[in-house]
Amino acid sequence: MGALLMTALAAPVSHRLRAAIGLGISQVLIIVAAVITLIPFVWMLSTALKPASEVFSTPPTLVGSSIEWGNFAAAWNYLPFGQFMLNGVIVSGVGTLIVVASSAMAAYAFSRLKWRGRDGVFLIYLGTLMIPQEVLIVPMFIIMRQLGWVNSYQGLIIPWAFTAFGTFLLRQFFLSLPDELEEAARIDGASRWTSFTRIILPLATPALGTLAVFTFIGYWNSFLWPLLMVSDVNMATVPLGLNMFLGQTGNQWNLLMAASTISVIPSAIIVIALQRYLVSGIALSGMGGR
């Protein structure tokens, strides 16, 4: 009897111990991953604050002999970096609005409306995700040149403003919403558009926030397409502006790192502002579907 009692008492303790060990290991792994992820950003900021003569000092040092805060002002004035930032905000902001709006309407049509061939068309639409961007660059550029959209905001925004990824992400979320919500609204006399704007979209805020974050960062970091579309320095985006710190007149590494630090700020603000939508949107849209 005593042996049975001891076994019964030891079982919960053993289970809690294993759970505590597993939690501790997972936390250590998360911390290690976070440190590894932060190392490039720490080194970028360190280089941005060093004198130019100490960027490649041997042995490498994390902190220079002096803290050169003036590198940020020098980087801002070395090129029209303010214009680059403005161009990036316009392209990324407008592009994000178009992608979110178009993807939401397409996802609603593919998930909540019943029409012949819907699933087949969606599979074809989804198949466009397997086409590499490099394959589309040449025909896209020819079309933009024929439209006269080279060196223009619309040329930087429109070609990538209608994506299957956003439609897929939002469709998965829309499928997880009960049909009874719209049925009740239709009984009350609501139209499809009213149901979409007043019921579906408010409930889909986490998924919309997730798509907005991914889209903004994608536009902001895009390099290849702006490189082809822009020949006027006043239309250059941030990645093109960063590339201009490396040239025939010499590589301004400390200024490049200072400009890179500045360029991270808008994306960081978007991610921090929409963080709670980002986490819940990824979790919910990944689990949706019927």
Side-chain angles (χ1 to χ4, degrees):
M1 186 65 179
L4 293 176
L5 181 61
M6 292 296 294
T7 302
L9 292 175
V13 174
S14 177
H15 178 72
R16 290 195 298 268
L17 181 60
R18 287 197 299 268
I21 293 174
L23 179 61
I25 293 174
S26 63
Q27 290 178 343
V28 170
L29 292 176
I30 291 174
I31 293 173
V32 171
V35 171
I36 294 174
T37 302
L38 289 174
I39 287 175
F41 294 97
V42 172
W43 193 260
M44 175 180 69
L45 182 59
S46 170
T47 305
L49 295 173
K50 287 180 179 180
S53 59
E54 299 181 14
V55 171
F56 294 106
S57 61
T58 304
T61 57
L62 188 61
V63 180
S65 59
S66 61
I67 305 298
E68 299 292 336
W69 294 105
N71 286 342
F72 291 97
W76 187 270
N77 297 319
Y78 184 77
L79 294 167
F81 205 75
Q83 184 64 42
F84 301 158
M85 295 284 287
L86 177 62
N87 293 339
V89 169
I90 292 174
V91 171
S92 302
V94 175
T96 298
L97 291 176
I98 296 176
V99 169
V100 171
S102 62
S103 297
M105 289 186 285
Y108 184 80
F110 281 124
S111 62
R112 314 297 293 190
L113 303 182
K114 304 294 191 298
W115 44 280
R116 181 177 297 179
R118 182 190 68 176
D119 294 338
V121 173
F122 179 70
L123 287 176
I124 297 173
Y125 192 56
L126 202 61
T128 60
L129 289 174
M130 294 184 289
I131 303 176
Q133 179 183 1
E134 291 77 10
V135 176
L136 302 175
I137 287 293
V138 173
M140 282 285 191
F141 178 77
I142 294 174
I143 294 173
M144 294 299 104
R145 187 177 60 183
Q146 292 176 345
L147 292 174
W149 285 2
V150 177
N151 287 317
S152 67
Y153 288 127
Q154 60 267 32
L156 292 171
I157 296 171
I158 298 300
W160 313 109
F162 306 92
T163 65
F165 171 76
T167 302
F168 171 75
L169 179 69
L170 296 182
R171 175 183 177 272
Q172 294 304 105
F173 189 91
F174 290 169
L175 285 173
S176 67
L177 301 177
D179 293 334
E180 290 76 17
L181 293 174
E182 286 194 276
E183 292 174 359
R186 285 198 294 270
I187 292 175
D188 291 337
S191 64
R192 282 288 188 182
W193 180 253
T194 301
S195 299
F196 173 64
T197 56
R198 296 191 178 183
I199 297 176
I200 301 299
L201 288 185
L203 292 174
T205 301
L208 295 173
T210 301
L211 178 60
V213 170
F214 288 160
T215 304
F216 186 93
I217 293 176
Y219 269 108
W220 185 263
N221 293 333
S222 178
F223 177 76
L224 180 59
W225 181 247
L227 180 65
L228 295 176
M229 285 295 297
V230 173
S231 58
D232 183 358
V233 68
N234 292 318
M235 285 300 302
T237 55
V238 172
L240 295 184
L242 294 177
N243 189 57
M244 293 179 188
F245 285 94
L246 308 176
Q248 296 179 354
T249 58
N251 299 331
Q252 307 293 329
W253 292 105
N254 56 335
L255 301 187
L256 173 60
M257 293 297 105
S260 299
T261 304
I262 297 172
S263 70
V264 170
I265 295 175
S267 298
I269 292 174
I270 293 294
V271 171
I272 293 173
L274 300 178
Q275 182 180 14
R276 61 192 183 99
Y277 299 122
L278 181 63
V279 174
S280 58
I282 292 175
L284 294 174
S285 60
M287 295 171 60
R290 295 182 181 178

